[in-house]
Amino acid sequence: RLNKFYNPKMHVAPPKQELSEEDRIAVNMGGTPPPTDAPGGIAGTGVAVLAQVSAHVAVARKEAPAPPPGTWAAYSTKSEESTGVIGMIDLLIKDLDKEMTEAEIDEKNSQADYEKTMVESSAKRAADAKLLAQKGSAKADAEAALEGHKEHKADAGKELMATEKYISSLHAECDWLIQYYDVRKEARAGEVDSLQKAKAILSGADYSLLQKSLRGGR
C-alpha cells in the first residue's frame, strides 16, 4: 500500500475482476460483487520472480536524468524520494517505540511509588489508630477522675455549709454573750452580794440561837 502512494513504479495493481452475467445482474440489483483473489508473487506484491525486479531497476536507471549544474543539488529519482518517506515513517515508528518504552518505565515507577505510598499510608493509619486508642483510654481515665473529683467537691461543699452554719451559730451566741455581758455581770454581782448578806444573816441567827440554848441550860 505504501508503494502505491510513495513508489508507484513498484506497485502492481490487482487484476481487474471480470464479472459474469449473473454477477453483473446481482450488482445492478444492489448486491455486492464477489471477493477478488489476493495478489500472488513475493509477499503478495504480484512480483513473480526477482528477474522482474532487476528489469524494473534497470529501467529506472535508464530513466534517471542527467546530472544538474554545479550550482544545484543532485537530482533524486522517485524511488529515492519514496525511500526517504518510508525512512521518515520508520523514524516515526522508532520514536513511538521509544515513547512507549519511556511510558512503560514511567508507569512502573509510578506503580512503585503508589505501592510505597500505600504501604506508608497503611503504617501511618495503624499508628494513628493505636494512638487514638491510647488517647481514648486516657480520656476515659480523665473522665472517671473528674467524676470522682465532682463527688468529692459535692461532699466538701456540704461539709463547708455545715461548718459555716456552726460558725454562724457560734457567732450568734458570742454576740449575745458580748451584748449582755455587763448586764449579766451586774446581775451576778448582785447575786453574790445577796448570798453574802444571806450568809451573814444566817450566821447571826445561828449565834442568837446558840446564846438562847446556853441560857436555858443554866
Side-chain angles (χ1 to χ4, degrees):
R1 291 181 182 179
L2 292 175
N3 285 330
K4 180 179 179 181
F5 296 99
Y6 297 108
N7 197 359
K9 294 179 180 180
M10 295 293 293
H11 176 67
V12 178
K16 187 175 181 180
Q17 185 180 10
E18 295 292 337
L19 299 178
S20 62
E21 185 178 357
E22 295 178 355
D23 293 336
R24 285 197 298 272
I25 294 173
V27 170
N28 293 330
M29 295 296 292
T32 57
T36 58
D37 297 331
I42 300 173
T45 58
V47 179
V49 293
L50 294 176
Q52 296 179 359
V53 177
S54 60
H56 182 78
V57 171
V59 172
R61 288 178 180 176
K62 291 179 181 180
E63 293 178 355
T71 57
W72 296 91
Y75 289 106
S76 60
T77 60
K78 193 68 175 179
S79 60
E80 293 177 352
E81 294 179 358
S82 63
T83 304
V85 173
I86 296 174
M88 291 177 63
I89 294 175
D90 292 336
L91 183 61
L92 290 174
I93 293 173
K94 290 179 180 179
D95 292 338
L96 288 175
D97 292 337
K98 182 178 179 181
E99 291 179 359
M100 290 177 65
T101 303
E102 292 177 354
E104 290 177 357
I105 294 173
D106 292 339
E107 183 178 1
K108 290 180 181 179
N109 293 333
S110 300
Q111 182 67 23
D113 293 339
Y114 172 75
E115 292 176 357
K116 181 179 179 181
T117 303
M118 291 298 295
V119 171
E120 293 177 353
S121 299
S122 178
K124 188 176 185 301
R125 283 197 301 270
D128 292 341
K130 184 178 180 180
L131 182 61
L132 181 62
Q134 293 176 355
K135 289 187 176 181
S137 178
K139 180 183 177 183
D141 295 338
E143 289 178 351
L146 178 62
E147 292 297 329
H149 290 310
K150 286 182 179 179
E151 293 178 358
H152 181 69
K153 180 183 177 182
D155 296 338
K158 292 178 182 179
E159 185 178 355
L160 178 62
M161 290 177 63
T163 303
E164 290 177 350
K165 186 176 180 181
Y166 177 68
I167 292 173
S168 178
S169 64
L170 288 178
H171 271 295
E173 186 177 354
C174 291
D175 291 341
W176 186 84
L177 292 173
I178 293 172
Q179 182 179 0
Y180 295 100
Y181 175 75
D182 295 334
V183 176
R184 293 184 67 192
K185 183 178 180 181
E186 293 176 358
R188 184 66 178 270
E191 289 178 359
V192 171
D193 186 51
S194 299
L195 290 173
Q196 289 178 354
K197 289 180 180 180
K199 183 179 180 182
I201 293 171
L202 290 174
S203 298
D206 293 340
Y207 181 73
S208 62
L209 289 174
L210 181 58
Q211 288 182 347
K212 286 181 181 182
S213 62
L214 289 175
R215 290 176 182 174
R218 289 179 181 174

